[in-house]
Coordinates of all heavy atoms in Angstrom, one line a residue:
N280 N -20.2 24.2 99.7 CA -19.8 24.2 98.3 C -19.0 25.3 97.9 O -18.1 25.2 97.1 CB -21.2 24.1 97.4 CG -20.9 23.9 95.9 OD1 -19.9 23.4 95.6 ND2 -21.8 24.6 95.2
G281 N -19.3 26.5 98.4 CA -18.5 27.6 98.2 C -17.1 27.5 98.7 O -16.2 28.0 98.1
Y282 N -17.0 26.9 99.9 CA -15.6 26.8 100.5 C -14.8 25.8 99.6 O -13.6 26.1 99.4 CB -15.8 26.3 101.9 CG -14.4 26.0 102.5 CD1 -13.6 27.0 103.0 CD2 -14.0 24.7 102.6 CE1 -12.5 26.7 103.7 CE2 -12.7 24.4 103.2 CZ -12.0 25.4 103.8 OH -10.8 25.1 104.3
L283 N -15.4 24.8 99.2 CA -14.6 23.7 98.4 C -14.3 24.2 97.0 O -13.1 23.9 96.5 CB -15.4 22.4 98.3 CG -15.8 21.6 99.6 CD1 -16.7 20.5 99.3 CD2 -14.5 21.2 100.2
S284 N -15.1 25.0 96.4 CA -14.8 25.6 95.1 C -13.9 26.8 95.1 O -13.3 27.1 94.0 CB -16.2 25.9 94.3 OG -16.8 26.9 95.0
S285 N -13.7 27.4 96.2 CA -12.8 28.7 96.3 C -11.4 28.2 96.4 O -11.1 27.2 97.0 CB -13.3 29.5 97.5 OG -13.1 28.8 98.6
P286 N -10.5 29.0 95.7 CA -9.0 28.6 95.9 C -8.5 28.9 97.3 O -8.8 29.9 97.9 CB -8.4 29.6 94.8 CG -9.3 30.8 94.7 CD -10.7 30.2 94.9
H287 N -7.7 28.0 97.7 CA -7.2 28.1 99.1 C -5.8 28.8 99.0 O -5.3 29.1 97.9 CB -7.0 26.7 99.7 CG -8.3 26.0 99.8 ND1 -9.4 26.3 100.7 CD2 -8.9 25.0 99.1 CE1 -10.4 25.6 100.5 NE2 -10.1 24.7 99.6
V288 N -5.2 29.1 100.1 CA -4.0 29.7 100.2 C -2.9 28.8 99.6 O -2.8 27.7 99.9 CB -3.6 30.2 101.7 CG1 -2.2 30.8 101.7 CG2 -4.8 31.0 102.2
G289 N -2.1 29.4 98.7 CA -1.0 28.6 98.0 C -1.5 27.8 96.8 O -0.6 27.0 96.3
Q290 N -2.7 27.8 96.3 CA -3.2 27.2 95.3 C -3.5 28.2 94.1 O -4.0 29.2 94.5 CB -4.5 26.4 95.6 CG -4.2 25.2 96.6 CD -5.4 24.3 96.8 OE1 -6.5 24.7 96.3 NE2 -5.3 23.4 97.6
E291 N -3.4 27.7 92.9 CA -3.8 28.6 91.8 C -5.2 28.5 91.4 O -5.9 27.4 91.6 CB -3.0 28.2 90.5 CG -1.6 28.4 90.6 CD -1.2 29.9 90.6 OE1 -1.9 30.7 90.2 OE2 -0.1 30.3 91.3
P292 N -5.9 29.5 91.0 CA -7.4 29.4 90.7 C -7.6 28.6 89.5 O -6.7 28.5 88.6 CB -7.8 30.9 90.5 CG -6.5 31.6 90.1 CD -5.5 30.9 90.9
P293 N -8.6 27.8 89.4 CA -8.9 27.0 88.2 C -9.0 27.8 87.0 O -9.5 28.9 86.9 CB -10.3 26.4 88.6 CG -11.0 27.2 89.5 CD -9.8 27.9 90.4
Y294 N -8.6 27.2 85.9 CA -8.5 27.9 84.6 C -10.0 27.9 84.0 O -10.6 26.9 84.0 CB -7.6 27.1 83.6 CG -7.6 27.7 82.2 CD1 -7.0 28.8 81.9 CD2 -8.3 26.9 81.2 CE1 -7.0 29.4 80.6 CE2 -8.3 27.4 79.9 CZ -7.7 28.6 79.6 OH -7.7 29.1 78.4
S295 N -10.3 29.0 83.4 CA -11.6 29.2 82.8 C -11.4 29.7 81.3 O -10.7 30.6 81.1 CB -12.5 30.1 83.6 OG -13.7 30.4 82.8
R296 N -12.0 29.0 80.4 CA -11.9 29.4 79.0 C -12.6 30.8 78.8 O -12.1 31.5 77.9 CB -12.6 28.4 78.0 CG -12.0 27.0 78.2 CD -12.8 26.0 77.2 NE -12.6 26.6 75.8 CZ -13.2 26.0 74.9 NH1 -13.9 24.8 75.1 NH2 -13.1 26.4 73.6
D297 N -13.5 31.1 79.5 CA -14.2 32.5 79.3 C -13.5 33.6 80.0 O -13.8 34.7 79.9 CB -15.7 32.4 79.8 CG -16.5 31.4 79.0 OD1 -16.0 31.1 77.8 OD2 -17.4 30.8 79.5
A298 N -12.5 33.2 80.9 CA -11.9 34.3 81.7 C -10.9 35.1 80.8 O -10.2 34.6 79.9 CB -11.1 33.7 82.8
Q299 N -11.0 36.4 80.8 CA -10.2 37.3 80.1 C -9.0 37.8 80.8 O -9.0 38.1 82.0 CB -11.0 38.6 79.6 CG -12.2 38.3 78.9 CD -11.9 37.8 77.4 OE1 -10.7 38.0 76.9 NE2 -12.7 36.9 76.9
P300 N -7.8 37.7 80.2 CA -6.5 38.1 80.9 C -6.6 39.5 81.2 O -6.9 40.3 80.4 CB -5.4 37.6 80.0 CG -6.0 37.6 78.6 CD -7.4 37.2 78.8
V301 N -6.0 40.0 82.3 CA -5.8 41.3 82.7 C -4.4 41.7 82.5 O -3.5 41.1 83.2 CB -6.3 41.5 84.2 CG1 -6.2 42.9 84.5 CG2 -7.8 41.0 84.3
I302 N -4.2 42.7 81.7 CA -2.7 43.2 81.5 C -2.6 44.4 82.4 O -3.3 45.4 82.3 CB -2.6 43.6 80.0 CG1 -2.9 42.5 79.0 CG2 -1.2 44.1 79.7 CD1 -2.8 42.7 77.7
T303 N -1.6 44.3 83.2 CA -1.4 45.3 84.2 C -0.3 46.3 83.7 O -0.2 47.4 84.2 CB -0.8 44.8 85.5 OG1 0.3 43.9 85.3 CG2 -1.8 43.8 86.1
S304 N 0.4 45.9 82.6 CA 1.4 47.0 82.1 C 1.4 46.8 80.6 O 1.1 45.7 80.1 CB 2.8 46.6 82.6 OG 3.2 45.3 82.2
P305 N 1.6 47.8 79.9 CA 1.6 47.8 78.4 C 2.7 46.9 77.8 O 3.8 47.0 78.4 CB 1.7 49.3 78.0 CG 2.4 50.0 79.1 CD 1.9 49.3 80.4
V306 N 2.4 46.2 76.8 CA 3.3 45.3 76.2 C 3.7 45.9 74.9 O 2.9 46.1 74.0 CB 2.7 43.9 76.0 CG1 3.8 42.9 75.3 CG2 2.3 43.3 77.3
V307 N 5.0 46.1 74.6 CA 5.6 46.7 73.4 C 6.0 45.6 72.6 O 6.8 44.8 72.9 CB 6.7 47.6 73.8 CG1 7.2 48.3 72.4 CG2 6.2 48.8 74.7
P308 N 5.5 45.4 71.4 CA 5.9 44.3 70.5 C 7.3 44.6 70.0 O 7.8 45.7 70.0 CB 4.9 44.3 69.3 CG 4.4 45.8 69.3 CD 4.4 46.3 70.7
A309 N 7.9 43.5 69.8 CA 9.3 43.5 69.2 C 9.4 44.2 67.8 O 8.5 44.0 67.1 CB 9.9 42.0 69.2
P310 N 10.5 44.8 67.6 CA 10.6 45.5 66.3 C 10.5 44.5 65.1 O 10.0 44.9 64.0 CB 12.0 46.1 66.3 CG 12.3 46.2 67.7 CD 11.7 45.1 68.5
S311 N 11.0 43.3 65.3 CA 10.9 42.3 64.1 C 9.5 42.0 63.8 O 9.1 41.6 62.6 CB 11.7 41.1 64.5 OG 11.2 40.5 65.7
S312 N 8.6 41.9 64.8 CA 7.2 41.5 64.6 C 6.3 42.7 64.1 O 5.2 42.4 63.9 CB 6.7 40.8 65.8 OG 6.6 41.8 66.9
A313 N 6.8 43.9 64.2 CA 6.0 45.0 63.9 C 5.8 45.1 62.4 O 6.7 44.9 61.6 CB 6.7 46.3 64.4
S314 N 4.6 45.5 62.0 CA 4.2 45.5 60.5 C 4.7 46.8 60.0 O 4.8 47.8 60.7 CB 2.8 45.5 60.3 OG 2.1 46.6 61.1
P315 N 5.2 46.9 58.7 CA 5.7 48.1 58.2 C 4.6 49.2 58.1 O 3.5 49.0 57.8 CB 6.1 47.7 56.8 CG 5.4 46.5 56.4 CD 5.2 45.8 57.8
T316 N 5.1 50.4 58.5 CA 4.1 51.5 58.4 C 4.1 52.2 57.1 O 4.9 51.8 56.3 CB 4.6 52.6 59.4 OG1 6.0 53.0 59.1 CG2 4.7 52.0 60.9
D317 N 3.2 53.0 56.9 CA 2.9 53.7 55.6 C 4.2 54.6 55.3 O 4.5 54.8 54.2 CB 1.6 54.6 55.7 CG 0.5 53.8 55.8 OD1 0.5 52.5 55.5 OD2 -0.6 54.2 56.3
S318 N 4.9 55.1 56.4 CA 6.1 56.0 56.1 C 7.2 55.2 55.4 O 8.1 55.8 54.9 CB 6.4 56.6 57.3 OG 6.8 55.7 58.3
D319 N 7.1 53.8 55.5 CA 8.2 53.1 55.0 C 7.9 52.7 53.6 O 8.7 51.8 53.0 CB 8.6 51.9 55.9 CG 9.0 52.3 57.2 OD1 9.6 53.4 57.4 OD2 8.8 51.5 58.2
S320 N 6.8 53.0 53.1 CA 6.5 52.4 51.7 C 7.2 53.1 50.6 O 7.2 52.6 49.5 CB 4.9 52.7 51.5 OG 4.6 54.0 51.6
Y321 N 7.9 54.3 50.9 CA 8.5 55.0 49.9 C 9.9 54.4 49.6 O 10.5 54.5 48.6 CB 8.9 56.4 50.4 CG 9.6 56.5 51.8 CD1 11.0 56.4 51.7 CD2 9.0 56.7 53.0 CE1 11.7 56.5 53.0 CE2 9.7 56.6 54.2 CZ 11.1 56.6 54.1 OH 11.8 56.6 55.2
A322 N 10.4 53.5 50.5 CA 11.8 52.9 50.4 C 11.9 52.0 49.1 O 12.9 52.1 48.5 CB 12.1 52.0 51.6
S323 N 10.8 51.4 48.7 CA 10.9 50.6 47.5 C 10.9 51.3 46.2 O 11.3 50.9 45.2 CB 9.7 49.7 47.4 OG 8.5 50.5 47.4
K324 N 10.5 52.7 46.3 CA 10.5 53.6 45.1 C 11.8 54.5 45.0 O 12.0 55.2 44.1 CB 9.3 54.4 45.1 CG 8.0 53.7 45.0 CD 6.8 54.6 45.0 CE 6.6 55.5 46.2 NZ 5.4 56.2 46.1
C325 N 12.7 54.4 46.1 CA 13.8 55.2 46.2 C 15.1 54.5 45.8 O 15.3 53.4 46.4 CB 14.0 55.9 47.7 SG 12.5 56.8 48.1
P326 N 15.9 55.0 44.9 CA 17.1 54.3 44.4 C 18.1 54.4 45.5 O 18.1 55.4 46.3 CB 17.6 55.1 43.3 CG 17.0 56.4 43.4 CD 15.6 56.2 44.0
S327 N 18.8 53.4 45.7 CA 19.9 53.3 46.8 C 21.3 53.4 46.1 O 21.6 52.7 45.1 CB 19.6 52.0 47.7 OG 20.7 52.0 48.6
G328 N 22.1 54.2 46.7 CA 23.5 54.2 46.3 C 23.7 55.3 45.3 O 24.9 55.5 44.8
G329 N 22.8 56.0 44.9 CA 22.9 57.1 44.0 C 23.2 58.5 44.7 O 23.4 58.5 45.9
Q330 N 23.4 59.6 43.8 CA 23.6 60.8 44.5 C 22.5 61.4 45.2 O 21.3 61.2 44.8 CB 24.1 61.7 43.3 CG 25.4 61.4 42.6 CD 25.9 62.5 41.7 OE1 25.4 63.6 41.7 NE2 27.0 62.2 41.0
C331 N 22.7 62.0 46.3 CA 21.7 62.6 47.1 C 20.9 63.7 46.4 O 19.7 63.7 46.6 CB 22.3 63.1 48.4 SG 23.1 61.9 49.5
N332 N 21.5 64.4 45.6 CA 20.7 65.6 45.0 C 20.0 65.1 43.9 O 19.2 65.9 43.3 CB 21.8 66.7 44.5 CG 22.8 66.1 43.6 OD1 22.9 64.9 43.3 ND2 23.7 67.0 43.2
R333 N 19.9 63.9 43.5 CA 19.2 63.3 42.4 C 18.0 62.4 42.9 O 17.3 61.8 42.1 CB 20.1 62.5 41.5 CG 21.1 63.4 40.6 CD 21.7 62.7 39.6 NE 22.6 63.5 38.9 CZ 23.4 63.0 37.9 NH1 23.4 61.8 37.5 NH2 24.2 63.9 37.2
L334 N 17.9 62.4 44.2 CA 16.8 61.5 44.8 C 15.5 62.1 44.5 O 15.4 63.4 44.4 CB 17.0 61.3 46.2 CG 18.1 60.4 46.8 CD1 18.3 60.5 48.3 CD2 17.8 59.0 46.3
P335 N 14.4 61.4 44.4 CA 13.0 62.0 44.3 C 12.6 62.7 45.4 O 13.1 62.5 46.6 CB 12.2 60.6 44.0 CG 13.2 59.6 43.5 CD 14.5 59.9 44.2
A336 N 11.7 63.6 45.2 CA 11.3 64.4 46.3 C 10.6 63.7 47.5 O 10.6 64.1 48.7 CB 10.3 65.5 45.9
D337 N 10.1 62.5 47.2 CA 9.5 61.7 48.3 C 10.4 61.0 49.2 O 10.1 60.4 50.1 CB 8.5 60.7 47.7 CG 7.3 61.5 47.0 OD1 7.0 62.5 47.3 OD2 6.6 60.8 46.1
C338 N 11.7 61.0 48.8 CA 12.7 60.1 49.4 C 13.5 61.1 50.4 O 14.4 60.5 51.1 CB 13.7 59.6 48.4 SG 12.9 58.5 47.3
I339 N 13.3 62.4 50.4 CA 14.1 63.3 51.3 C 13.2 64.3 52.0 O 12.1 64.4 51.6 CB 15.1 64.0 50.4 CG1 14.4 65.0 49.4 CG2 16.1 63.1 49.8 CD1 15.4 65.8 48.5
N340 N 13.7 64.9 53.1 CA 13.1 65.9 53.9 C 13.9 67.1 53.8 O 15.1 67.0 54.2 CB 12.8 65.4 55.3 CG 11.7 64.3 55.4 OD1 10.8 64.3 54.7 ND2 12.0 63.3 56.3
C341 N 13.4 68.2 53.3 CA 14.1 69.4 53.2 C 13.5 70.5 54.0 O 12.2 70.6 54.1 CB 14.2 69.8 51.7 SG 15.1 68.7 50.6

Side-chain angles (χ1 to χ4, degrees):
N280 185 32
Y282 175 78
L283 294 176
S284 61
S285 62
H287 301 290
V288 178
Q290 296 182 357
E291 294 294 334
Y294 174 75
S295 175
R296 295 181 61 183
D297 299 332
Q299 299 294 331
V301 179
I302 300 176
T303 56
S304 60
V306 178
V307 179
S311 59
S312 61
S314 59
T316 58
D317 296 337
S318 60
D319 297 334
S320 60
Y321 59 84
S323 59
K324 300 183 295 183
C325 299
S327 181
Q330 293 188 7
C331 296
N332 56 1
R333 295 186 178 181
L334 285 174
D337 295 335
C338 304
I339 59 177
N340 291 321
C341 297

